[in-house]
Amino acid sequence: MSRILIDQVGFLPDSSKRAVLDFECEEFDVRTVDGKCVYTGSVRHFGGDEISGEDTYIADFSELTETGKYRILAGSEESCIFSIGENVYEKLMRDVCKCFYYLRCGDALNSEYAGQYYHDPCHMSLATVYGSDGIKKDVTGGWHDAGDYGRYSTAGSVAAAHLLYGVRFFKGLLDVEFDIPKVPCNSGNLPDILAEVRVELDFLMKMQREDGAVYHKVTTFCHAPFEMPQDDKEELFLFAVSSIATADVAAVMALAATVYRDYDSDYADRLMDTALKSYDWLIKNPEPLLFYNVEGSNTGQYDEAEDFSNRFWAAASLYEATGDDRYKKDALIQKEKVLEFDKSAKTKGYQGDVLTCLGWAEVAGLGGLSILLKNDKDELCRQISESFVKEADRLTGVAEKNGFGLCMKKEDFIWGSNMELLKYMMILTVADRLSEDKSKYRGAVQAGLDYLLGCNSMDISYVTGNGERAFKNPHLRPTAVDDIDEPWPGLVSGGPNRGLQDELAMTLPGDLPPMKCYMDHVQCYSLNEITIYWNSPLVFVLASM
Ligand SMILES: [Zn+2]
């Protein structure tokens, strides 16, 4: 089958624009939807690569800048419809942000805003502190993590942080409106993005124990069956506290305090108090307190091998928020531990420079973002800046090796490969800001977005409701059982995964090229789940555009 693979949403007028053909052809046309030819170009043969298994041909039409809706025609094939325009990503951005609203847990949904995706309040009972004498605690609220109904402190902190760093780096994110209930502040209402993040911050505050330590997660003992969240009535447990959760919460609370200060100083004070209390616990408990599931429990483990990157992030974020050198000293110590650990045992699964890793487990890159925001222009700031730029250079090098211009190697196609891509796109975005050459990394960011939105071997947009052939069957409990045809729009799929770790995925041939290790099926939790921290980096990247 011959196909023209393209970003099914479209392009900004001045961005690079390309389609990838998997068949030989000399020329291509770009035509309006009513058939008028507006551009003709030559097709360039690129050849094969190890990630797609395709013999690729490239149709570059970057010169076309006129706003409109188009198709590519080449040979006897035609592409999906795509747009060129200044506002081409507006719906996408709104949808991706609004997903956090639909994932709210507790009594936070309102049918006026959730429409057909409204469900009754869920998980409203008190949670039992696991292993205690029946001590119970209110931890209602926050976002469901993913296809399941668990709420996890590290994953939640990282997702909220991507959004908050997005606000710190790109002020335009504050203007994005996505139709959620208004939250008053001292100057009218909070911007939507801050109203939404506040839901998770309020929940994370409840996850803090009296002494400052933070519970790793609140879930039922085992994953709920496929049912609506309000029907999941099993007992909720607060599982053990961990130093990784405590550090991540300290970090995100300090970061949040810097953002909410302008809108609500009392709330910012509460955020900072939470951060300081957790940090104080970390100082009193210098040994890693890691987390593993208790026997028989199968909800997300979110385990990490050490807590150095988490402690580095906490120290860096508190330093940025307070300017107190005490935290900088701590950050320097933890950074060395991060580097030492990475040398002795290459950080799990991550192909890049560990100082740029942006979650969910390795979070040194998030600490790096705080150091870059502080911008002391000292040795630490220079080192972080260099790491981001060097990593971005590595990524653009990788992108030159395949026809899709994608900054991914075959090793990057792991569980949640789209998050690997989005983290890389965040790095390229940050490096673009640090670099003198203003457009050096934009091409690789665009190619990454194009891949996500349909310019890939599967010919699928990995964001629901965005693109003519967007995936439709996420591994997501409400979507599976709500009797509504389409899932809500804006969900990012985990994407291709060479590991093929679920039963249905295992039926795929084992020798598929990495980009094709995917199936749009509700049962494929290793290929097609959704999570809050796969949506959040896309918000950061779109904010930069
Ligand atoms: Zn819930």
Side-chain angles (χ1 to χ4, degrees):
M1 195 176 61
S2 306
R3 299 172 308 169
I4 303 173
L5 308 167
I6 194 160
D7 181 330
Q8 299 167 15
V9 172
F11 307 87
L12 295 168
D14 60 355
S15 73
S16 53
K17 307 174 193 73
R18 58 155 75 186
V20 174
L21 283 54
D22 64 359
F23 59 96
E24 189 173 356
C25 188
E26 300 272 305
E27 275 194 340
F28 71 98
D29 289 343
V30 184
R31 296 200 187 171
T32 60
V33 281
D34 45 19
K36 189 178 142 216
C37 180
V38 292
Y39 187 86
T40 298
S42 310
V43 174
R44 178 167 67 88
H45 186 209
F46 181 89
D49 59 65
E50 63 170 9
I51 58 170
S52 72
E54 314 280 5
D55 186 17
T56 52
Y57 294 78
I58 296 164
D60 192 313
F61 55 103
S62 303
E63 286 171 1
L64 179 65
T65 57
E66 201 181 321
T67 300
K69 280 188 184 250
Y70 305 101
R71 282 181 202 279
I72 305 276
L73 278 87
S76 56
E77 304 300 325
E78 60 176 32
S79 74
C80 287
I81 295 173
F82 61 92
S83 300
I84 297 177
E86 285 296 345
N87 307 325
V88 73
Y89 301 131
E90 267 184 16
K91 170 188 152 42
L92 174 66
M93 178 62 130
R94 276 198 310 274
D95 288 352
V96 174
C97 287
K98 178 109 181 219
C99 284
F100 295 94
Y101 176 73
Y102 292 123
L103 287 168
R104 285 187 190 184
C105 183
D107 64 351
L109 282 193
N110 177 321
S111 54
E112 187 190 333
Y113 298 94
Q116 62 179 337
Y117 301 110
Y118 173 81
H119 62 75
D120 288 334
C122 59
H123 305 109
M124 294 294 288
S125 62
L126 296 177
T128 306
V129 177
Y130 188 81
S132 76
D133 248 352
I135 298 170
K136 289 183 185 285
K137 193 170 154 60
D138 168 28
V139 286
T140 50
W143 300 316
H144 296 140
D145 179 62
D148 67 314
Y149 297 132
R151 286 167 292 149
Y152 307 85
S153 298
T154 54
S157 297
V158 167
H162 288 152
L163 302 176
L164 292 173
Y165 282 117
V167 167
R168 291 292 306 275
F169 276 87
F170 311 107
K171 291 277 172 262
L173 182 50
L174 293 167
D175 301 328
V176 176
E177 293 187 349
F178 46 98
D179 194 30
I180 60 169
K182 295 294 170 205
V183 176
C185 65
N186 57 16
S187 56
N189 291 317
L190 281 177
D192 280 357
I193 192 73
L194 299 187
E196 193 52 57
V197 174
R198 188 175 163 149
V199 168
E200 185 68 6
L201 295 170
D202 288 348
F203 157 71
L204 289 170
M205 283 194 223
K206 294 181 185 173
M207 291 294 278
Q208 188 177 50
R209 201 168 64 180
E210 212 30 54
D211 64 353
V214 173
Y215 293 102
H216 196 74
K217 64 174 177 178
V218 55
T219 69
T220 48
F221 195 74
C222 286
H223 280 310
F226 272 56
E227 61 188 2
M228 290 300 285
Q230 68 272 27
D231 298 329
D232 177 21
K233 303 276 194 203
E234 290 294 307
E235 185 171 11
L236 288 171
F237 290 104
L238 273 163
F239 289 97
V241 299
S242 71
S243 57
I244 38 189
T246 306
D248 286 7
V249 164
V252 77
M253 291 290 158
L255 168 66
T258 67
V259 177
Y260 287 80
R261 180 73 58 198
D262 291 343
Y263 301 92
D264 184 338
S265 57
D266 290 343
Y267 188 62
D269 287 344
R270 279 178 58 209
L271 292 164
M272 192 47 105
D273 287 348
T274 308
L276 292 171
K277 208 166 146 188
S278 278
Y279 200 83
D280 186 49
W281 184 91
L282 290 170
I283 295 300
K284 288 181 183 143
N285 295 271
E287 292 301 315
L289 182 58
L290 304 177
F291 183 86
Y292 301 100
N293 274 347
V294 298
E295 200 172 337
S297 171
N298 73 350
T299 54
Q301 185 162 267
Y302 288 107
D303 54 308
E304 299 179 36
E306 35 67 36
D307 67 1
F308 311 136
S309 75
N310 317 75
R311 285 175 188 262
F312 169 69
W313 180 26
S317 180
L318 270 153
Y319 174 57
E320 199 264 327
T322 65
D324 187 336
D325 277 333
R326 186 160 61 101
Y327 301 114
K328 186 172 175 182
K329 260 188 221 155
D330 291 350
L332 286 165
I333 293 167
Q334 296 301 331
K335 183 204 69 183
E336 289 309 315
K337 291 186 184 177
V338 169
L339 292 172
E340 212 172 294
F341 181 82
D342 190 53
K343 231 186 276 170
S344 65
K346 177 71 185 148
T347 305
K348 195 171 146 190
Y350 188 60
Q351 300 300 311
D353 178 335
V354 68
L355 288 184
T356 64
C357 194
L358 299 162
W360 52 264
E362 290 301 320
V363 290
L366 296 174
L369 295 183
S370 288
I371 298 298
L372 293 175
L373 286 168
K374 184 74 172 63
N375 198 18
D376 279 344
K377 299 190 167 66
D378 60 356
E379 186 50 35
L380 176 61
C381 185
R382 260 195 303 278
Q383 184 183 13
I384 299 292
S385 172
E386 235 176 70
S387 276
F388 271 83
V389 171
K390 262 194 192 156
E391 179 61 11
D393 287 337
R394 181 187 77 81
L395 293 169
T396 49
V398 172
E400 285 165 10
K401 294 191 169 59
N402 62 79
F404 295 84
L406 187 66
C407 58
M408 306 238 304
K409 299 204 291 193
K410 71 172 193 293
E411 294 81 6
D412 291 311
F413 287 84
I414 56 174
W415 193 322
S417 63
N418 282 339
M419 186 191 190
E420 298 309 293
L421 170 63
L422 287 162
K423 287 190 295 190
Y424 290 153
M425 288 162 72
M426 282 179 72
I427 293 166
L428 289 160
T429 298
V430 172
D432 187 59
R433 275 171 63 96
L434 295 169
S435 155
E436 303 270 301
D437 179 354
K438 276 303 147 215
S439 59
K440 198 166 172 196
Y441 305 110
R442 300 311 302 172
V445 175
Q446 184 65 48
L449 190 63
D450 295 347
Y451 167 88
L452 202 69
L453 298 174
C455 190
N456 57 60
S457 279
M458 296 304 301
D459 196 12
I460 269 182
S461 165
Y462 290 116
V463 184
T464 53
N466 286 268
E468 207 175 304
R469 286 202 268 274
F471 87 105
K472 289 192 168 99
N473 304 292
H475 179 86
L476 169 61
R477 279 166 175 71
T479 300
V481 298
D482 64 6
D483 289 328
I484 303 169
D485 275 354
E486 297 264 335
W488 63 76
L491 293 160
V492 176
S493 168
N497 166 16
R498 291 160 73 221
L500 302 174
Q501 280 127 319
D502 61 71
E503 230 169 86
L504 198 59
M506 283 175 206
T507 63
L508 288 171
D511 59 351
L512 277 176
M515 220 190 262
K516 289 180 177 159
C517 293
Y518 175 77
M519 221 191 291
D520 179 17
H521 196 288
V522 63
Q523 284 171 24
C524 287
Y525 55 85
S526 78
L527 312 179
N528 211 32
E529 196 171 348
I530 62 96
T531 73
I532 50 175
Y533 50 88
W534 296 341
N535 265 58
S536 55
L538 181 55
V539 173
F540 183 99
V541 170
L542 288 173
S544 79
M545 301 175 95

mmCIF file of all heavy atoms in Angstrom, residues 104-106 122-123 144 149 151 229, ligand 1:
data_model
loop_
_atom_site.group_PDB
_atom_site.id
_atom_site.type_symbol
_atom_site.label_atom_id
_atom_site.label_comp_id
_atom_site.label_asym_id
_atom_site.label_seq_id
_atom_site.Cartn_x
_atom_site.Cartn_y
_atom_site.Cartn_z
ATOM 1 N N ARG A 104 -10.387 14.694 36.422
ATOM 2 C CA ARG A 104 -10.526 15.060 37.834
ATOM 3 C C ARG A 104 -11.231 13.959 38.628
ATOM 4 O O ARG A 104 -12.205 13.375 38.160
ATOM 5 C CB ARG A 104 -11.330 16.361 37.970
ATOM 6 C CG ARG A 104 -10.566 17.607 37.595
ATOM 7 C CD ARG A 104 -11.407 18.825 37.937
ATOM 8 N NE ARG A 104 -10.834 20.055 37.401
ATOM 9 C CZ ARG A 104 -11.345 21.264 37.643
ATOM 10 N NH1 ARG A 104 -12.424 21.392 38.397
ATOM 11 N NH2 ARG A 104 -10.778 22.344 37.120
ATOM 12 N N CYS A 105 -10.764 13.748 39.842
ATOM 13 C CA CYS A 105 -11.340 12.764 40.756
ATOM 14 C C CYS A 105 -12.079 13.521 41.870
ATOM 15 O O CYS A 105 -11.751 14.665 42.164
ATOM 16 C CB CYS A 105 -10.212 11.919 41.351
ATOM 17 S SG CYS A 105 -10.774 10.594 42.440
ATOM 18 N N GLY A 106 -13.082 12.864 42.476
ATOM 19 C CA GLY A 106 -13.817 13.505 43.568
ATOM 20 C C GLY A 106 -15.103 14.101 43.053
ATOM 21 O O GLY A 106 -15.728 13.568 42.139
ATOM 22 N N CYS A 122 -16.625 10.631 42.412
ATOM 23 C CA CYS A 122 -15.986 9.317 42.568
ATOM 24 C C CYS A 122 -14.931 9.370 43.673
ATOM 25 O O CYS A 122 -14.408 10.435 43.991
ATOM 26 C CB CYS A 122 -15.335 8.888 41.264
ATOM 27 S SG CYS A 122 -14.084 10.024 40.639
ATOM 28 N N HIS A 123 -14.654 8.222 44.243
ATOM 29 C CA HIS A 123 -13.568 8.064 45.225
ATOM 30 C C HIS A 123 -13.646 9.108 46.338
ATOM 31 O O HIS A 123 -12.672 9.790 46.640
ATOM 32 C CB HIS A 123 -12.208 8.109 44.504
ATOM 33 C CG HIS A 123 -12.122 7.091 43.404
ATOM 34 N ND1 HIS A 123 -12.136 7.422 42.065
ATOM 35 C CD2 HIS A 123 -12.082 5.733 43.449
ATOM 36 C CE1 HIS A 123 -12.093 6.317 41.331
ATOM 37 N NE2 HIS A 123 -12.062 5.276 42.141
ATOM 38 N N HIS A 144 -7.213 11.556 38.158
ATOM 39 C CA HIS A 144 -6.896 10.143 37.922
ATOM 40 C C HIS A 144 -5.625 10.117 37.089
ATOM 41 O O HIS A 144 -5.452 10.910 36.174
ATOM 42 C CB HIS A 144 -8.024 9.447 37.158
ATOM 43 C CG HIS A 144 -9.314 9.396 37.924
ATOM 44 N ND1 HIS A 144 -10.540 9.589 37.340
ATOM 45 C CD2 HIS A 144 -9.557 9.178 39.238
ATOM 46 C CE1 HIS A 144 -11.490 9.484 38.257
ATOM 47 N NE2 HIS A 144 -10.916 9.245 39.428
ATOM 48 N N TYR A 149 -7.633 4.314 38.004
ATOM 49 C CA TYR A 149 -8.136 5.366 38.884
ATOM 50 C C TYR A 149 -7.185 5.703 40.033
ATOM 51 O O TYR A 149 -7.573 6.337 41.003
ATOM 52 C CB TYR A 149 -9.513 4.979 39.425
ATOM 53 C CG TYR A 149 -10.561 4.847 38.336
ATOM 54 C CD1 TYR A 149 -11.405 3.748 38.273
ATOM 55 C CD2 TYR A 149 -10.690 5.840 37.363
ATOM 56 C CE1 TYR A 149 -12.365 3.630 37.262
ATOM 57 C CE2 TYR A 149 -11.636 5.727 36.351
ATOM 58 C CZ TYR A 149 -12.465 4.623 36.298
ATOM 59 O OH TYR A 149 -13.395 4.520 35.304
ATOM 60 N N ARG A 151 -4.113 7.484 42.100
ATOM 61 C CA ARG A 151 -3.537 8.824 42.174
ATOM 62 C C ARG A 151 -2.180 8.697 42.860
ATOM 63 O O ARG A 151 -2.099 8.162 43.965
ATOM 64 C CB ARG A 151 -4.486 9.766 42.921
ATOM 65 C CG ARG A 151 -5.710 10.163 42.069
ATOM 66 C CD ARG A 151 -6.787 10.816 42.897
ATOM 67 N NE ARG A 151 -7.397 9.856 43.813
ATOM 68 C CZ ARG A 151 -7.899 10.170 45.009
ATOM 69 N NH1 ARG A 151 -7.852 11.401 45.444
ATOM 70 N NH2 ARG A 151 -8.435 9.219 45.757
ATOM 71 N N PRO A 229 -15.757 5.485 37.151
ATOM 72 C CA PRO A 229 -15.054 5.762 38.413
ATOM 73 C C PRO A 229 -15.975 5.760 39.638
ATOM 74 O O PRO A 229 -15.590 5.295 40.706
ATOM 75 C CB PRO A 229 -14.432 7.140 38.188
ATOM 76 C CG PRO A 229 -15.069 7.708 36.979
ATOM 77 C CD PRO A 229 -15.541 6.552 36.159
HETATM 78 ZN ZN ZN B 1 -12.006 9.235 41.180
#
